Amino acid sequence: MSKPLIIAIDGPSGAGKSTLGRRLAHELGLLYIDTGAMYRAVALAVAAAGVEVSDAAAVAAVARGASIRLEGDPDALRVLLDGRDVSEEIRGESVGHAASVVSAIPEVRRELVRRQREMGASGGVVLDGRDIGTVVFPSADVKFFLTAVPEERARRRLDEERTRAQSFAETLADINERDRRDSTRDDSPLRIADDAVVIDTTELSIDEVFRRMLQVVRERRSRERTQ
């Protein structure tokens, strides 16, 4: 019997990681771990504690003390923060912005990386984030790096937002700032793993990207069986 797969999906904000991660996990019958949701949960806990995101030590303390659980199947993943379902609450734009800030704090990243490794240690998982294939699971069986031009990612983000509280220009500026922060942070910066399959999703539909990813996984599995 083949060993349980660990599939890593990395890329910048708005590249389609979560949508495709959920779909891939569902198709392959694997556990889906949305690491971005974990950082958003920390940001929410920080706000609830009245801690400023600029206070790195206090933010790290909140992260260490927070109970964060992911439950349910890929299509109905629930995020529980200290036992409370915050699945919808963490998707707000302000929480996303705060999550981008707290995720750049080294102590926060180390704490959540430790938890993510524990969650995926036995395999049979799809994880998406910014540093899955480079830091969390550098020996993952299959690694993807999804990307798209900033303008397209901004359009997607606007389509996802129910309230449309931001203009396109504001959303694009936010995307660019997140890219800068993710790629220049000292701890676990966003970068492409040497052995990752890079897919530019700018001109591709979700179905097209999904089919390509599924083909890569199946080809990798086929090679394993013949070795």
Side-chain angles (χ1 to χ4, degrees):
M1 181 179 290
S2 300
K3 67 183 180 70
L5 280 175
I6 295 178
I7 299 176
I9 306 175
D10 288 313
S13 177
K17 302 184 301 298
S18 296
T19 300
L20 288 156
R22 286 194 300 269
R23 191 165 172 181
L24 203 59
H26 180 82
E27 177 71 20
L28 298 171
L30 303 178
L31 173 68
Y32 171 60
I33 300 176
D34 181 353
T35 66
M38 297 176 71
Y39 286 102
R40 284 173 174 261
V42 169
L44 195 61
V46 166
V51 169
E52 293 293 332
V53 294
S54 57
D55 188 342
V59 170
V62 171
R64 286 191 292 270
S67 169
I68 301 171
R69 299 205 319 274
L70 305 179
E71 295 183 352
D73 61 47
D75 296 324
L77 190 71
R78 293 192 307 141
V79 182
L80 303 180
L81 173 62
D82 296 325
R84 185 169 67 91
D85 189 340
V86 296
S87 307
E88 291 296 323
E89 200 173 342
I90 62 171
R91 296 304 170 186
E93 189 62 34
S94 62
V95 176
H97 177 75
S100 179
V101 176
V102 304
S103 68
I105 298 172
E107 293 81 2
V108 173
R109 294 204 74 84
R110 290 179 196 128
E111 173 62 21
L112 292 196
V113 164
R114 179 187 66 77
R115 297 189 192 192
Q116 291 155 15
R117 284 173 175 162
E118 288 179 353
M119 294 168 71
S122 59
V125 294
V126 176
L127 303 94
D128 74 63
R130 305 288 199 278
D131 60 352
I132 309 303
T134 55
V135 175
V136 183
F137 283 107
S139 59
D141 301 286
V142 185
K143 300 177 188 178
F144 294 103
F145 189 95
L146 305 183
T147 189
V149 297
E151 291 78 10
E152 175 61 21
R153 290 188 281 125
R155 279 191 288 272
R156 293 173 186 174
R157 178 56 52 80
L158 277 177
D159 287 342
E160 290 172 3
E161 289 296 323
R162 297 183 180 91
T163 60
R164 294 182 179 273
Q166 286 188 312
S167 68
F168 175 79
E170 290 170 330
T171 303
L172 179 59
D174 186 50
I175 288 279
N176 285 329
E177 174 58 22
R178 291 189 192 190
D179 287 353
R180 184 200 64 76
R181 191 181 295 121
D182 288 340
S183 60
T184 60
R185 63 178 176 239
D186 293 331
D187 197 278
S188 307
L190 173 67
R191 66 178 183 82
I192 303 173
D194 293 338
D195 52 349
V197 175
V198 181
I199 304 177
D200 187 331
T201 68
T202 303
E203 300 293 337
L204 302 175
S205 69
I206 287 292
D207 287 344
E208 289 171 325
V209 179
F210 174 69
R211 286 194 294 269
R212 182 170 177 190
M213 293 174 77
L214 197 58
Q215 180 182 9
V216 169
V217 173
R218 288 172 172 166
E219 287 175 350
R220 194 71 51 90
R221 261 290 160 83
S222 179
R223 284 201 299 271
E224 285 180 2
R225 295 192 186 101
T226 59
Q227 289 176 353

